[in-house]
Amino acid sequence: AQSVSQHNHHVILSEAASLELGCNYSYGGTVNLFWYVQYPGQHLQLLLKYFSGDPLVKGIKGFEAEFIKSKFSFNLRKPSVQWSDTAEYFCAVISYNTDKLIFGTGTRLQVFP
Amino acid sequence: KAGVTQTPRYLIKTRGQQVTLSCSPISGHRSVSWYQQTPGQGLQFLFEYFSETQRNKGNFPGRFSGRQFSNSRSEMNVSTLELGDSALYLCASSIQDGTTEAFFGQGTRLTVV
């Protein structure tokens, strides 16, 4: 079955630390990839997306992600996190074969000052 | 431009009852998807509607159903509620299909007692 895996369930960092959240998917064929963020009490919003082209994509608030097709991965990175990055992060993948946007189980990030 | 609107925001129901949730997509968006969000499970895809037709369906029992109206507004119905149906139900709209960016509403928090 098609699935999206986020291996880090809960990450705790201090401000200014670097962040990398893993995302792997099990689809074949053409995919579109997304990272969404859900701040406490707010709705899900898009951080960044990859459809085609340069596999290194930049999103809002200094986040970036790299698509590595051979590894079926789309890891999210930020060089220096801030307290305001405390949120839950979801990786999502849609396959052109299924047209279903499937989410990973999410990673809860806590950043301490 | 107004975002995705879900009503009601909160609901408390008892086991065995049924419930209807509503979603108004962003103007011009024709695709509406529904997700169930629970701690530890992340977002699980329920179904997607496009131009009043169900185009995709997740792995949920038949107690979960939906429909879409000609103005793209969508409703989700859950019959014979069970305690395990307690969750945040999210609606997402996109312009055409799931391969484009999905915009999420605030969700409806359903508690079954």
Side-chain angles (χ1 to χ4, degrees):
Chain A
Q2 297 160 335
S3 65
V4 179
S5 299
Q6 290 183 244
H7 307 295
N8 315 101
H9 298 294
H10 190 189
V11 174
I12 301 172
L13 294 173
S14 299
E15 274 192 320
S18 65
L19 170 72
E20 180 159 3
L21 302 182
C23 173
N24 288 88
Y25 62 94
S26 64
Y27 295 79
T30 304
V31 294
N32 288 348
L33 302 153
F34 307 83
W35 274 98
Y36 282 84
V37 61
Q38 190 172 36
Y39 297 104
Q42 296 189 27
H43 63 279
L44 272 165
Q45 46 190 291
L46 185 71
L47 261 183
L48 47 79
K49 60 189 176 187
Y50 173 79
F51 284 3
S52 63
D54 188 344
L56 184 62
V57 293
K58 295 192 183 299
I60 60 172
K61 304 186 180 185
F63 286 91
E64 65 179 31
E66 184 175 13
F67 171 48
I68 303 179
K69 189 174 181 179
S70 60
K71 294 185 178 179
F72 298 90
S73 71
F74 189 56
N75 292 353
L76 180 71
R77 299 195 292 248
K78 186 170 183 179
S80 177
V81 295
Q82 300 173 313
W83 175 78
S84 58
D85 294 325
T86 295
E88 191 152 17
Y89 293 81
F90 294 91
C91 178
V93 178
I94 186 162
S95 162
Y96 277 60
N97 293 335
T98 65
D99 276 352
K100 291 183 192 179
L101 182 63
I102 303 299
F103 284 80
T105 51
T107 297
R108 184 175 168 222
L109 172 66
Q110 279 184 289
V111 180
F112 288 97
Chain B
K1 190 173 183 181
V4 179
T5 304
Q6 291 187 245
T7 56
R9 291 290 311 278
Y10 301 93
L11 266 178
I12 300 176
K13 292 284 188 179
T14 56
R15 278 182 299 174
Q17 285 187 308
Q18 73 158 18
V19 67
T20 300
L21 313 181
S22 180
C23 172
S24 293
I26 292 171
S27 177
H29 286 196
R30 296 170 66 190
S31 169
V32 174
S33 298
W34 288 89
Y35 293 84
Q36 182 193 67
Q37 185 179 11
T38 53
Q41 296 286 325
L43 282 82
Q44 294 185 284
F45 175 79
L46 279 155
F47 28 65
E48 184 222 352
Y49 285 87
F50 181 82
S51 293
E52 302 178 65
T53 302
Q54 187 181 88
R55 193 161 59 175
N56 271 305
K57 192 175 188 304
N59 298 322
F60 278 80
R63 299 185 297 107
F64 292 81
S65 63
R67 58 178 176 168
Q68 187 181 34
F69 302 95
S70 58
N71 61 359
S72 293
R73 189 177 71 85
S74 177
E75 287 182 349
M76 190 191 94
N77 185 275
V78 188
S79 62
T80 319
L81 284 166
E82 301 176 0
L83 294 179
D85 297 333
S86 295
L88 180 67
Y89 290 88
L90 294 171
C91 167
S93 78
S94 56
I95 289 176
Q96 186 167 343
D97 58 31
T99 60
T100 56
E101 178 182 347
F103 293 82
F104 284 82
Q106 294 267 40
T108 294
R109 172 76 62 186
L110 172 65
T111 302
V112 182
V113 298

